[in-house]
């Protein structure tokens, strides 16, 4: 059984890059009252991915200790666009796109947090009601120099890239979210540090005690770059078990322990044993199978994890084509049409690119001719994980 001190230490260290102000937060945690812990996510794509799970798991950690968590869906800030982690201006999204993207956000978050005990808010509730005077008073709290001293903004200025005045307003909006929900703590990625600190100043302006801050590290995706929907290197919470399992098995070996630590809640003592076994030259593949199984179990079920492991071993270790292939009858049999109609490609250009890169096989043979006619009865394979039997 863990002590209160051990619980607090893990709360403030696992999946945590920085705590501001740790002394103050430890004091508040010691008071025994439920804290209001906030996380906001903008629906800039339809899927939550494992990178987003890091702050959501931290929300769950607070929730398990009896604190009130607030999950804010940025239906308003999603329109405006946050460029905290971008090297170029993020375009404004349409209201229709944001609405489509957020359709299943709450359901996806519910794979991690207990929705029944959570406070779910949309920041359009209050941000859409502010007027120019409100915004001017908030903007008066900060100087232009404070904004342009941020590393990515400085780089863009030096490169002569455009920076819109709209981008200056985003931190104010995120800060005002903290005022509306009366946040004691806000969680966000290291790329959000400026915005999180802005919340402290905006709260003070409105007569509230400034929130404490927990920043979480950013996780690498399938290509070892930061996991990002725009980079297309994500493992999504809604990925099917076989796809999720296969993606994790394709990760570089050096990410195994990092993924266990940040993306699961296996005990750190167990993860420490895994790390020692790697140093003792254990086969990384064996640990990766454990990692893939644990993550599939978290977002699907134990039974799904076992089936996905069997599928992976039979398909990729024994080089077998899986049984019970999904079947598809296209209206046209040229390879591009088959890929687009079956939704294995998002567009004709996406299909062409995949074919040119050698990402499509017919009956085990790589096909690079986009005009290839797929014969009925053939098995089409896209990448490592997607199979179809063509009728």
């Amino acid at each position: 059984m863990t002590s209160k001190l051990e619980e607090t230490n893990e709360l403030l260290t696992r999946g945590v890059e920085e705590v501001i102000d740790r002394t103050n937060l430890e004091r508040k945690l010691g008071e025994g009252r439920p804290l209001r812990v906030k996380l906001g996510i903008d629906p800039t794509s339809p899927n939550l991915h494992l990178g987003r799970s890091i702050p959501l798991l931290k929300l769950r950690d607070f929730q398990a200790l009896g604190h009130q968590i607030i999950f804010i869906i940025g239906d308003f800030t999603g329109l405006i666009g946050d460029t905290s982690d971008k090297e170029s201006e993020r375009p404004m999204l349409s209201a229709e796109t944001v609405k489509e993207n957020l359709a299943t956000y709450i359901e996806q978050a519910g794979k991690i947090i207990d929705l029944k005990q959570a406070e779910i808010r949309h920041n359009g509730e209050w941000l859409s009601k502010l007027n120019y005077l409100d915004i001017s008073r908030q903007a008066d709290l900060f100087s232009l120099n404070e904004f342009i001293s941020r590393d990515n903004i400085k780089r863009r200025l030096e490169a002569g890239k455009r920076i819109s005045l709209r981008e200056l307003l985003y931190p104010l909006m995120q800060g005002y979210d903290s005022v509306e929900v009366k946040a004691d703590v806000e969680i966000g990625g290291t790329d959000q540090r400026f915005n999180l600190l802005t919340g402290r100043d905006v709260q003070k302006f409105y007569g509230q005690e400034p929130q404490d801050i927990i920043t979480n590290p950013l996780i690498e995706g399938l290509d070892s770059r930061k996991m990002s929907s725009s980079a297309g290197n994500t493992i999504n919470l809604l990925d099917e078990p076989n796809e999720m399992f296969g993606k994790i098995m394709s990760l570089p070996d050096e990410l195994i322990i990092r993924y266990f630590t940040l993306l699961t809640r296996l005990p750190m003592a167990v993860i420490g044993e895994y790390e020692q076994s790697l140093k003792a030259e254990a086969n990384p593949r064996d640990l990766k199978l454990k990692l893939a199984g644990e993550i599939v179990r978290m977002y699907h079920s134990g039974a799904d994890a076992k089936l996905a492991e069997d599928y992976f071993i039979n398909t990729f270790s024994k080089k077998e084509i899986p049984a019970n292939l999904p079947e598809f009858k296209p209206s046209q049999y040229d390879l591009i049409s088959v890929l687009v109609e079956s939704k294995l490609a998002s567009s004709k250009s996406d299909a062409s690119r995949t074919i040119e890169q050698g990402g499509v096989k017919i009956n085990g043979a790589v096909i690079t001719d986009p005009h290839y006619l797929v014969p009925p009865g053939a098995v089409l394979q896209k990448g490592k994980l997607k199979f179809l039997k063509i009728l």
Side-chain angles (χ1 to χ4, degrees):
M1 181 177 292
T2 58
S3 68
K4 190 73 174 176
L5 183 61
E6 289 171 325
E7 284 181 348
T8 300
N9 184 62
E10 179 149 337
L11 181 72
L12 300 183
T13 56
R14 185 170 187 174
V16 173
E17 191 74 21
E18 183 181 17
V19 181
I20 307 169
D21 163 2
R22 177 161 181 154
T23 300
N24 190 56
L25 181 50
E26 286 177 338
R27 175 187 61 78
K28 288 193 288 193
L29 288 168
E31 291 173 353
R33 66 179 175 89
L35 301 181
R36 294 180 61 76
V37 186
K38 163 202 171 192
L39 169 68
I41 297 181
D42 288 347
T44 52
S45 76
N47 294 311
L48 291 175
H49 54 68
L50 288 185
R52 299 291 200 185
S53 78
I54 300 175
L56 282 165
L57 283 167
K58 187 54 59 182
L59 267 193
R60 189 177 79 179
D61 293 341
F62 272 97
Q63 191 174 40
L65 295 174
H67 299 287
Q68 178 61 61
I69 64 169
I70 304 116
F71 180 50
I72 297 178
I73 298 174
D75 59 333
F76 192 94
T77 43
L79 297 171
I80 307 304
D82 181 18
T83 51
S84 294
D85 63 338
K86 301 298 178 186
E87 295 300 322
S88 59
E89 184 179 357
R90 186 194 287 272
M92 291 184 70
L93 297 179
S94 69
E96 292 75 18
T97 298
V98 168
K99 185 176 180 180
E100 289 172 5
N101 286 348
L102 63 78
T104 64
Y105 258 44
I106 296 174
E107 174 191 343
Q108 291 179 64
K111 288 178 172 288
I112 299 175
I113 61 174
D114 182 352
L115 295 175
K116 293 179 181 178
Q117 301 299 321
E119 192 175 310
I120 310 294
R121 306 290 294 274
H122 294 70
N123 61 16
E125 296 173 30
W126 50 83
L127 292 178
S128 62
K129 297 174 183 177
L130 295 178
N131 58 39
Y132 267 113
L133 183 58
D134 296 321
I135 296 166
S136 296
R137 285 171 174 159
Q138 294 171 14
D140 194 47
L141 299 173
F142 306 95
S143 71
L144 183 60
N145 283 339
E146 288 175 283
F147 181 79
I148 64 177
S149 64
R150 301 163 67 183
D151 288 342
N152 68 321
I153 300 298
K154 188 187 297 183
R155 286 193 297 271
R156 286 168 58 190
L157 280 172
E158 290 171 351
K161 294 181 179 179
R162 182 179 188 269
I163 297 174
S164 71
L165 291 176
R166 161 178 59 93
E167 295 178 67
L168 278 67
L169 300 178
Y170 188 96
L172 298 176
M173 298 177 198
Q174 184 169 331
Y176 190 68
D177 288 352
S178 294
V179 172
E180 280 292 324
V181 302
K182 297 180 172 58
D184 293 305
V185 183
E186 182 171 11
I187 299 170
T190 52
D191 55 345
Q192 292 284 305
R193 193 176 190 274
F194 183 89
N195 297 351
L196 299 168
L197 288 169
T198 297
R200 288 169 61 87
D201 291 326
V202 176
Q203 282 182 304
K204 282 190 282 187
F205 176 73
Y206 284 95
Q208 295 182 9
E209 181 182 349
Q211 63 189 12
D212 293 313
I213 293 166
I214 293 177
T215 63
N216 60 261
L218 308 179
I219 196 73
E220 296 82 0
L222 299 173
D223 56 4
S224 294
R225 293 182 298 158
K226 176 200 161 190
M227 190 177 290
S228 164
S229 297
S230 58
N233 63 353
T234 60
I235 302 168
N236 299 316
L237 271 56
L238 292 182
D239 282 346
E240 291 300 315
N242 290 346
E243 183 176 7
M244 183 179 281
F245 197 101
K247 283 181 176 180
I248 293 165
M249 292 301 296
S250 72
L251 289 171
D253 293 346
E254 58 267 23
L255 291 179
I256 294 173
I257 299 302
R258 186 166 170 80
Y259 266 55
F260 268 124
T261 302
L262 298 180
L263 304 181
T264 80
R265 282 303 181 260
L266 286 179
M268 289 303 299
V270 172
I271 297 172
E273 291 173 5
Y274 291 165
E275 188 169 18
Q276 289 304 313
S277 70
L278 281 177
K279 291 177 181 177
E281 300 186 352
N283 188 342
R285 179 181 175 279
D286 295 338
L287 281 183
K288 214 179 289 186
L289 285 169
K290 292 179 185 291
L291 173 65
E294 176 62 17
I295 290 180
V296 172
R297 183 199 64 76
M298 288 172 64
Y299 297 106
H300 295 281
S301 71
D304 286 324
K306 182 64 172 69
L307 289 171
E309 180 176 354
D310 291 344
Y311 175 92
F312 180 86
I313 290 171
N314 289 332
T315 303
F316 305 114
S317 299
K318 298 179 180 178
K319 307 298 182 186
E320 294 178 10
I321 292 174
N324 302 318
L325 285 177
E327 298 178 339
F328 181 74
K329 184 174 178 62
S331 63
Q332 301 180 69
Y333 284 82
D334 64 283
L335 188 51
I336 286 181
S337 295
V338 172
L339 289 170
V340 173
E341 287 183 23
S342 65
K343 302 192 183 326
L344 290 180
S346 59
S347 63
K348 289 184 176 181
S349 59
D350 179 39
S352 295
R353 185 166 54 250
T354 303
I355 294 166
E356 289 169 2
Q357 294 172 349
V360 179
K361 293 181 181 179
I362 301 294
N363 293 333
V366 175
I367 303 297
T368 56
D369 177 7
H371 304 293
Y372 178 87
L373 293 178
V374 183
V379 173
L380 183 153
Q381 179 181 354
K382 183 198 172 196
K384 293 182 177 181
L385 303 170
K386 303 287 182 67
F387 290 84
L388 281 180
K389 183 173 183 179
I390 305 303
L391 300 178

